[in-house]
Amino acid sequence: MKPHHWKWLLLAGRLGLAGIFLAAGIAKLREPWAQFAVSLYGFKLLPDDMLEPIAKTLPWAEVALGVAILSGIWLRWFALLGSLIITLFLGVLIRSYAMGLQVDCGCFGSGEALGPMTIVRDSTMLLLGAAVTFGAFRIRRS
Amino acid sequence: MEKMRTALLLVSALAAFAQAPSTPTAAPKKPAAPKSAEAAPAKNFKLSGSPSAACTIEIYTDYECPHCRRLYLETMPEILTKYLNTNKIQVLHRDFPLPGHQYSKLAARYANAAGQIGKYEMAVTQIFTTQADWSQNGNIDGAMAKVFAQADMVKIREMVKNDSHLDDSVTADFAMGQKDGLTETPTIMIVKGGKRERISGFMPANILGSYLDQKLAQK
């Protein structure tokens, strides 16, 4: 594959990754913050007093990260950060599924029960994030 | 620099889009209390609180749903003390019996029959408290008889058996729930200033309380 092909692939991956974070953040922001807090509560990971601040700030962080990735500024670092965040989310989902928790994923707003497809989808997102990160570092080096 | 400018423009546009909430809809009228041949209730027994309250929370529940039980027994007592008893909110119970729960409708009939004799809250509390028992065999009557006087049980049984209008409010609530886009129970609709916001799933009292504080503080 020629170098400019890699660039186009990286651009497509970057748009996809940015779209994921933007869609996730905006979907949450369009609902009452308490709805996302309910999802977070269901995962039984956070202390009660952390639910509200995280429910209020995480969607904005996702939007900001989406914008940063879309803009291409410091792409390799933001793509790396995005991949790490998806890894964290995926870990939480796998843990919750293994524990048999019946929770609303809350990933792209409410109404999606956690199931095997959620984990498959997030794993695919992680692969995309890893590919964009790898591509961004590779192109930077060359 | 160009990238920075583009990013800033994107953030502004997205912020405006994200702030347009997806769930609020125009507030419909509250359902009328069910008609009964036995006794006409003086008011809608499913609604409590001061009419001058700034905000109404409508709680859709299914009597056989474990999360509804938790919401009613764990979350609501604190909310009622802090917000209902201080005239900050009104609370409206709405029945949303899920198709997969075979005794939910019967439980709603018992609760609404008790409401007709002015003992709705007592019935709801008992039905939720004994959920684990009657959801196995449908013996809601037995669960109710443990806390209701014999005279009351006679009236309740008569209505459960013969009152053809006892399910009217359930039908109205279910239709309203579908209009509200319900997919699960419990679901709370927070109604203020003509707007309805939907929050689905079990919610601990601190989250619901904090959200109500925020809504009440808004003009």
Side-chain angles (χ1 to χ4, degrees), chain A residues 17-65:
Chain A
L17 192 61
I20 287 167
F21 279 105
L22 289 172
I26 290 170
K28 292 182 189 93
L29 288 170
R30 286 172 67 79
E31 293 181 332
W33 64 260
Q35 182 65 72
F36 186 43
V38 166
S39 297
L40 292 173
Y41 176 82
F43 288 112
K44 299 182 190 299
L45 263 175
L46 296 165
D48 282 0
D49 56 354
M50 292 293 290
L51 296 172
E52 182 177 342
I54 290 181
K56 283 179 172 173
T57 53
L58 185 61
W60 285 109
E62 287 179 321
V63 169
L65 186 56

Short mmCIF file of all heavy atoms in Angstrom, two decimals, chain A residues 17-65:
data_model
loop_
_atom_site.label_atom_id
_atom_site.label_comp_id
_atom_site.label_asym_id
_atom_site.label_seq_id
_atom_site.Cartn_x
_atom_site.Cartn_y
_atom_site.Cartn_z
N LEU A 17 -13.52 7.31 14.79
CA LEU A 17 -13.27 7.37 16.24
C LEU A 17 -13.86 8.64 16.84
O LEU A 17 -14.50 8.61 17.90
CB LEU A 17 -11.75 7.31 16.49
CG LEU A 17 -11.31 7.08 17.92
CD1 LEU A 17 -11.81 5.74 18.45
CD2 LEU A 17 -9.78 7.13 18.03
N ALA A 18 -13.67 9.74 16.13
CA ALA A 18 -14.25 11.01 16.61
C ALA A 18 -15.76 10.91 16.67
O ALA A 18 -16.40 11.34 17.64
CB ALA A 18 -13.83 12.16 15.69
N GLY A 19 -16.35 10.30 15.65
CA GLY A 19 -17.80 10.15 15.59
C GLY A 19 -18.34 9.35 16.77
O GLY A 19 -19.39 9.67 17.33
N ILE A 20 -17.59 8.32 17.15
CA ILE A 20 -18.02 7.48 18.29
C ILE A 20 -18.09 8.33 19.56
O ILE A 20 -19.09 8.30 20.29
CB ILE A 20 -17.04 6.30 18.47
CG1 ILE A 20 -17.25 5.27 17.36
CG2 ILE A 20 -17.21 5.66 19.84
CD1 ILE A 20 -16.16 4.23 17.27
N PHE A 21 -17.02 9.08 19.83
CA PHE A 21 -17.01 9.88 21.06
C PHE A 21 -18.05 11.00 21.01
O PHE A 21 -18.71 11.29 22.02
CB PHE A 21 -15.60 10.44 21.32
CG PHE A 21 -14.70 9.44 21.95
CD1 PHE A 21 -13.71 8.81 21.21
CD2 PHE A 21 -14.85 9.08 23.28
CE1 PHE A 21 -12.89 7.85 21.78
CE2 PHE A 21 -14.03 8.13 23.86
CZ PHE A 21 -13.05 7.51 23.11
N LEU A 22 -18.20 11.60 19.86
CA LEU A 22 -19.20 12.68 19.75
C LEU A 22 -20.61 12.12 19.94
O LEU A 22 -21.42 12.69 20.67
CB LEU A 22 -19.08 13.37 18.38
CG LEU A 22 -17.84 14.23 18.19
CD1 LEU A 22 -17.73 14.71 16.74
CD2 LEU A 22 -17.88 15.44 19.12
N ALA A 23 -20.89 11.00 19.29
CA ALA A 23 -22.24 10.40 19.40
C ALA A 23 -22.52 10.00 20.84
O ALA A 23 -23.63 10.25 21.36
CB ALA A 23 -22.34 9.20 18.47
N ALA A 24 -21.52 9.40 21.48
CA ALA A 24 -21.71 8.95 22.87
C ALA A 24 -21.95 10.14 23.80
O ALA A 24 -22.87 10.12 24.64
CB ALA A 24 -20.50 8.15 23.34
N GLY A 25 -21.16 11.18 23.64
CA GLY A 25 -21.28 12.35 24.53
C GLY A 25 -22.59 13.09 24.29
O GLY A 25 -23.30 13.42 25.24
N ILE A 26 -22.91 13.33 23.03
CA ILE A 26 -24.11 14.12 22.72
C ILE A 26 -25.38 13.36 23.14
O ILE A 26 -26.30 13.95 23.70
CB ILE A 26 -24.14 14.48 21.23
CG1 ILE A 26 -23.05 15.51 20.94
CG2 ILE A 26 -25.50 15.06 20.82
CD1 ILE A 26 -22.81 15.78 19.47
N ALA A 27 -25.39 12.04 22.91
CA ALA A 27 -26.57 11.25 23.31
C ALA A 27 -26.81 11.39 24.81
O ALA A 27 -27.96 11.52 25.26
CB ALA A 27 -26.39 9.80 22.93
N LYS A 28 -25.75 11.38 25.59
CA LYS A 28 -25.92 11.51 27.05
C LYS A 28 -26.35 12.92 27.42
O LYS A 28 -27.18 13.12 28.31
CB LYS A 28 -24.60 11.18 27.75
CG LYS A 28 -24.21 9.72 27.65
CD LYS A 28 -22.92 9.46 28.42
CE LYS A 28 -22.39 8.06 28.16
NZ LYS A 28 -21.44 8.00 27.05
N LEU A 29 -25.78 13.91 26.74
CA LEU A 29 -26.10 15.30 27.09
C LEU A 29 -27.54 15.65 26.71
O LEU A 29 -28.12 16.58 27.28
CB LEU A 29 -25.14 16.25 26.38
CG LEU A 29 -23.72 16.26 26.92
CD1 LEU A 29 -22.79 17.06 26.01
CD2 LEU A 29 -23.67 16.82 28.33
N ARG A 30 -28.11 14.94 25.79
CA ARG A 30 -29.49 15.22 25.39
C ARG A 30 -30.51 14.62 26.36
O ARG A 30 -31.70 14.85 26.24
CB ARG A 30 -29.74 14.72 23.96
CG ARG A 30 -29.07 15.64 22.92
CD ARG A 30 -29.13 15.07 21.55
NE ARG A 30 -30.49 15.00 21.01
CZ ARG A 30 -31.15 16.04 20.49
NH1 ARG A 30 -30.58 17.23 20.46
NH2 ARG A 30 -32.36 15.91 20.02
N GLU A 31 -30.03 13.83 27.30
CA GLU A 31 -30.91 13.28 28.34
C GLU A 31 -30.60 13.98 29.66
O GLU A 31 -29.53 14.57 29.81
CB GLU A 31 -30.66 11.78 28.50
CG GLU A 31 -31.07 10.97 27.27
CD GLU A 31 -30.84 9.47 27.45
OE1 GLU A 31 -29.95 9.09 28.22
OE2 GLU A 31 -31.55 8.70 26.81
N PRO A 32 -31.51 13.90 30.63
CA PRO A 32 -31.18 14.44 31.95
C PRO A 32 -29.93 13.75 32.50
O PRO A 32 -29.76 12.55 32.30
CB PRO A 32 -32.40 14.07 32.81
CG PRO A 32 -33.50 13.78 31.85
CD PRO A 32 -32.85 13.28 30.60
N TRP A 33 -29.08 14.50 33.19
CA TRP A 33 -27.85 13.88 33.70
C TRP A 33 -28.18 12.73 34.66
O TRP A 33 -27.38 11.77 34.80
CB TRP A 33 -26.92 14.90 34.36
CG TRP A 33 -27.46 15.56 35.60
CD1 TRP A 33 -28.01 16.80 35.68
CD2 TRP A 33 -27.51 15.02 36.93
NE1 TRP A 33 -28.42 17.06 36.97
CE2 TRP A 33 -28.11 15.99 37.76
CE3 TRP A 33 -27.09 13.82 37.50
CZ2 TRP A 33 -28.32 15.79 39.12
CZ3 TRP A 33 -27.29 13.62 38.86
CH2 TRP A 33 -27.90 14.59 39.66
N ALA A 34 -29.33 12.82 35.30
CA ALA A 34 -29.71 11.76 36.25
C ALA A 34 -29.86 10.41 35.54
O ALA A 34 -29.67 9.35 36.15
CB ALA A 34 -31.00 12.13 36.97
N GLN A 35 -30.21 10.45 34.24
CA GLN A 35 -30.36 9.19 33.50
C GLN A 35 -29.01 8.47 33.39
O GLN A 35 -28.93 7.26 33.59
CB GLN A 35 -30.92 9.47 32.11
CG GLN A 35 -31.15 8.22 31.28
CD GLN A 35 -32.22 7.32 31.89
OE1 GLN A 35 -33.39 7.63 31.85
NE2 GLN A 35 -31.81 6.21 32.48
N PHE A 36 -27.96 9.21 33.10
CA PHE A 36 -26.64 8.59 33.02
C PHE A 36 -26.17 8.17 34.42
O PHE A 36 -25.52 7.14 34.57
CB PHE A 36 -25.64 9.56 32.36
CG PHE A 36 -24.29 8.95 32.11
CD1 PHE A 36 -24.15 7.66 31.60
CD2 PHE A 36 -23.12 9.66 32.39
CE1 PHE A 36 -22.90 7.10 31.37
CE2 PHE A 36 -21.88 9.11 32.16
CZ PHE A 36 -21.77 7.83 31.66
N ALA A 37 -26.55 8.95 35.42
CA ALA A 37 -26.20 8.58 36.80
C ALA A 37 -26.84 7.25 37.17
O ALA A 37 -26.24 6.43 37.87
CB ALA A 37 -26.65 9.68 37.76
N VAL A 38 -28.06 7.02 36.68
CA VAL A 38 -28.74 5.75 36.93
C VAL A 38 -27.94 4.60 36.30
O VAL A 38 -27.75 3.54 36.92
CB VAL A 38 -30.18 5.79 36.36
CG1 VAL A 38 -30.80 4.39 36.29
CG2 VAL A 38 -31.06 6.70 37.19
N SER A 39 -27.46 4.81 35.08
CA SER A 39 -26.64 3.77 34.43
C SER A 39 -25.37 3.51 35.23
O SER A 39 -25.00 2.36 35.48
CB SER A 39 -26.27 4.19 33.01
OG SER A 39 -27.41 4.34 32.22
N LEU A 40 -24.71 4.59 35.63
CA LEU A 40 -23.47 4.44 36.40
C LEU A 40 -23.73 3.70 37.71
O LEU A 40 -22.94 2.85 38.12
CB LEU A 40 -22.86 5.82 36.70
CG LEU A 40 -22.31 6.61 35.51
CD1 LEU A 40 -21.92 8.02 35.94
CD2 LEU A 40 -21.11 5.89 34.90
N TYR A 41 -24.85 4.04 38.35
CA TYR A 41 -25.21 3.38 39.60
C TYR A 41 -25.35 1.87 39.40
O TYR A 41 -24.92 1.08 40.23
CB TYR A 41 -26.52 3.97 40.13
CG TYR A 41 -27.04 3.30 41.37
CD1 TYR A 41 -26.54 3.64 42.63
CD2 TYR A 41 -28.04 2.33 41.29
CE1 TYR A 41 -27.02 3.02 43.77
CE2 TYR A 41 -28.52 1.70 42.43
CZ TYR A 41 -28.01 2.05 43.66
OH TYR A 41 -28.47 1.43 44.80
N GLY A 42 -25.92 1.50 38.25
CA GLY A 42 -26.17 0.08 37.97
C GLY A 42 -24.89 -0.74 37.89
O GLY A 42 -24.91 -1.94 38.16
N PHE A 43 -23.77 -0.10 37.55
CA PHE A 43 -22.52 -0.85 37.42
C PHE A 43 -21.88 -1.18 38.78
O PHE A 43 -20.92 -1.94 38.83
CB PHE A 43 -21.52 -0.07 36.56
CG PHE A 43 -21.89 -0.05 35.10
CD1 PHE A 43 -22.28 1.12 34.47
CD2 PHE A 43 -21.86 -1.21 34.36
CE1 PHE A 43 -22.64 1.12 33.13
CE2 PHE A 43 -22.20 -1.22 33.01
CZ PHE A 43 -22.60 -0.05 32.40
N LYS A 44 -22.39 -0.58 39.83
CA LYS A 44 -21.93 -0.87 41.20
C LYS A 44 -20.41 -0.72 41.35
O LYS A 44 -19.74 -1.55 41.95
CB LYS A 44 -22.34 -2.29 41.62
CG LYS A 44 -23.85 -2.52 41.64
CD LYS A 44 -24.16 -3.93 42.11
CE LYS A 44 -25.59 -4.31 41.93
NZ LYS A 44 -26.59 -3.54 42.62
N LEU A 45 -19.89 0.34 40.78
CA LEU A 45 -18.45 0.57 40.85
C LEU A 45 -18.10 1.83 41.62
O LEU A 45 -17.07 1.89 42.29
CB LEU A 45 -17.89 0.71 39.42
CG LEU A 45 -17.27 -0.51 38.77
CD1 LEU A 45 -16.90 -0.20 37.33
CD2 LEU A 45 -16.04 -0.99 39.53
N LEU A 46 -18.96 2.82 41.50
CA LEU A 46 -18.63 4.13 42.05
C LEU A 46 -19.37 4.38 43.35
O LEU A 46 -20.51 3.94 43.51
CB LEU A 46 -19.03 5.23 41.05
CG LEU A 46 -18.31 5.23 39.71
CD1 LEU A 46 -19.06 6.11 38.71
CD2 LEU A 46 -16.89 5.72 39.88
N PRO A 47 -18.73 5.11 44.26
CA PRO A 47 -19.48 5.52 45.47
C PRO A 47 -20.59 6.49 45.07
O PRO A 47 -20.47 7.22 44.08
CB PRO A 47 -18.41 6.22 46.33
CG PRO A 47 -17.28 6.52 45.41
CD PRO A 47 -17.35 5.57 44.27
N ASP A 48 -21.66 6.50 45.84
CA ASP A 48 -22.85 7.30 45.49
C ASP A 48 -22.52 8.78 45.26
O ASP A 48 -23.09 9.42 44.37
CB ASP A 48 -23.92 7.18 46.58
CG ASP A 48 -24.67 5.85 46.45
OD1 ASP A 48 -24.34 5.07 45.53
OD2 ASP A 48 -25.58 5.61 47.27
N ASP A 49 -21.59 9.32 46.06
CA ASP A 49 -21.33 10.76 45.93
C ASP A 49 -20.50 11.10 44.68
O ASP A 49 -20.30 12.27 44.38
CB ASP A 49 -20.68 11.32 47.19
CG ASP A 49 -19.40 10.59 47.55
OD1 ASP A 49 -19.09 9.59 46.88
OD2 ASP A 49 -18.70 11.04 48.49
N MET A 50 -20.04 10.07 43.99
CA MET A 50 -19.29 10.32 42.74
C MET A 50 -20.19 10.26 41.51
O MET A 50 -19.79 10.66 40.41
CB MET A 50 -18.17 9.28 42.58
CG MET A 50 -17.05 9.39 43.57
SD MET A 50 -16.12 10.90 43.32
CE MET A 50 -15.29 10.51 41.78
N LEU A 51 -21.39 9.73 41.68
CA LEU A 51 -22.27 9.51 40.52
C LEU A 51 -22.62 10.82 39.81
O LEU A 51 -22.52 10.93 38.59
CB LEU A 51 -23.55 8.79 40.95
CG LEU A 51 -23.38 7.38 41.50
CD1 LEU A 51 -24.70 6.86 42.07
CD2 LEU A 51 -22.87 6.44 40.42
N GLU A 52 -23.03 11.80 40.61
CA GLU A 52 -23.47 13.06 39.99
C GLU A 52 -22.33 13.78 39.27
O GLU A 52 -22.49 14.14 38.09
CB GLU A 52 -24.10 13.96 41.06
CG GLU A 52 -24.61 15.26 40.47
CD GLU A 52 -25.30 16.15 41.49
OE1 GLU A 52 -25.70 15.65 42.57
OE2 GLU A 52 -25.45 17.35 41.21
N PRO A 53 -21.17 14.00 39.93
CA PRO A 53 -20.10 14.71 39.19
C PRO A 53 -19.64 13.99 37.94
O PRO A 53 -19.39 14.62 36.90
CB PRO A 53 -18.97 14.84 40.22
CG PRO A 53 -19.35 14.07 41.41
CD PRO A 53 -20.81 13.80 41.34
N ILE A 54 -19.59 12.67 38.00
CA ILE A 54 -19.15 11.94 36.80
C ILE A 54 -20.23 11.99 35.72
O ILE A 54 -19.93 12.18 34.54
CB ILE A 54 -18.75 10.49 37.16
CG1 ILE A 54 -17.46 10.54 37.98
CG2 ILE A 54 -18.56 9.63 35.92
CD1 ILE A 54 -16.91 9.21 38.40
N ALA A 55 -21.49 11.83 36.14
CA ALA A 55 -22.58 11.88 35.15
C ALA A 55 -22.65 13.24 34.46
O ALA A 55 -23.04 13.34 33.31
CB ALA A 55 -23.91 11.56 35.83
N LYS A 56 -22.24 14.28 35.17
CA LYS A 56 -22.30 15.61 34.59
C LYS A 56 -21.09 15.93 33.71
O LYS A 56 -21.20 16.70 32.77
CB LYS A 56 -22.41 16.67 35.70
CG LYS A 56 -23.79 16.77 36.31
CD LYS A 56 -23.82 17.81 37.41
CE LYS A 56 -25.23 18.10 37.89
NZ LYS A 56 -25.24 18.98 39.06
N THR A 57 -19.94 15.36 34.04
CA THR A 57 -18.72 15.76 33.33
C THR A 57 -18.28 14.79 32.22
O THR A 57 -17.73 15.23 31.21
CB THR A 57 -17.54 15.92 34.31
OG1 THR A 57 -17.41 14.72 35.08
CG2 THR A 57 -17.74 17.09 35.24
N LEU A 58 -18.52 13.50 32.43
CA LEU A 58 -18.02 12.53 31.44
C LEU A 58 -18.56 12.79 30.02
O LEU A 58 -17.79 12.73 29.05
CB LEU A 58 -18.32 11.10 31.91
CG LEU A 58 -17.75 9.99 31.03
CD1 LEU A 58 -16.23 10.06 30.96
CD2 LEU A 58 -18.17 8.62 31.52
N PRO A 59 -19.86 13.08 29.86
CA PRO A 59 -20.34 13.35 28.49
C PRO A 59 -19.61 14.52 27.83
O PRO A 59 -19.28 14.47 26.65
CB PRO A 59 -21.82 13.67 28.70
CG PRO A 59 -22.19 12.99 29.96
CD PRO A 59 -20.98 13.08 30.83
N TRP A 60 -19.33 15.56 28.60
CA TRP A 60 -18.60 16.70 28.04
C TRP A 60 -17.18 16.30 27.67
O TRP A 60 -16.63 16.77 26.66
CB TRP A 60 -18.58 17.87 29.03
CG TRP A 60 -19.91 18.58 29.08
CD1 TRP A 60 -20.81 18.56 30.10
CD2 TRP A 60 -20.51 19.38 28.06
NE1 TRP A 60 -21.92 19.28 29.78
CE2 TRP A 60 -21.76 19.81 28.53
CE3 TRP A 60 -20.11 19.76 26.78
CZ2 TRP A 60 -22.61 20.61 27.78
CZ3 TRP A 60 -20.96 20.57 26.02
CH2 TRP A 60 -22.19 20.98 26.53
N ALA A 61 -16.58 15.46 28.50
CA ALA A 61 -15.22 14.98 28.19
C ALA A 61 -15.22 14.17 26.90
O ALA A 61 -14.29 14.28 26.09
CB ALA A 61 -14.70 14.13 29.36
N GLU A 62 -16.26 13.37 26.70
CA GLU A 62 -16.35 12.58 25.47
C GLU A 62 -16.49 13.50 24.24
O GLU A 62 -15.85 13.27 23.22
CB GLU A 62 -17.56 11.63 25.54
CG GLU A 62 -17.34 10.46 26.48
CD GLU A 62 -18.55 9.53 26.57
OE1 GLU A 62 -19.69 10.04 26.57
OE2 GLU A 62 -18.35 8.33 26.65
N VAL A 63 -17.31 14.53 24.39
CA VAL A 63 -17.48 15.48 23.28
C VAL A 63 -16.15 16.18 23.00
O VAL A 63 -15.73 16.31 21.83
CB VAL A 63 -18.59 16.51 23.61
CG1 VAL A 63 -18.58 17.65 22.60
CG2 VAL A 63 -19.96 15.84 23.61
N ALA A 64 -15.49 16.62 24.06
CA ALA A 64 -14.21 17.32 23.88
C ALA A 64 -13.19 16.42 23.19
O ALA A 64 -12.46 16.85 22.28
CB ALA A 64 -13.69 17.79 25.23
N LEU A 65 -13.15 15.16 23.61
CA LEU A 65 -12.21 14.22 23.01
C LEU A 65 -12.56 13.98 21.54
O LEU A 65 -11.67 13.92 20.68
CB LEU A 65 -12.21 12.91 23.80
CG LEU A 65 -11.17 11.86 23.41
CD1 LEU A 65 -9.76 12.43 23.49
CD2 LEU A 65 -11.28 10.64 24.33
#
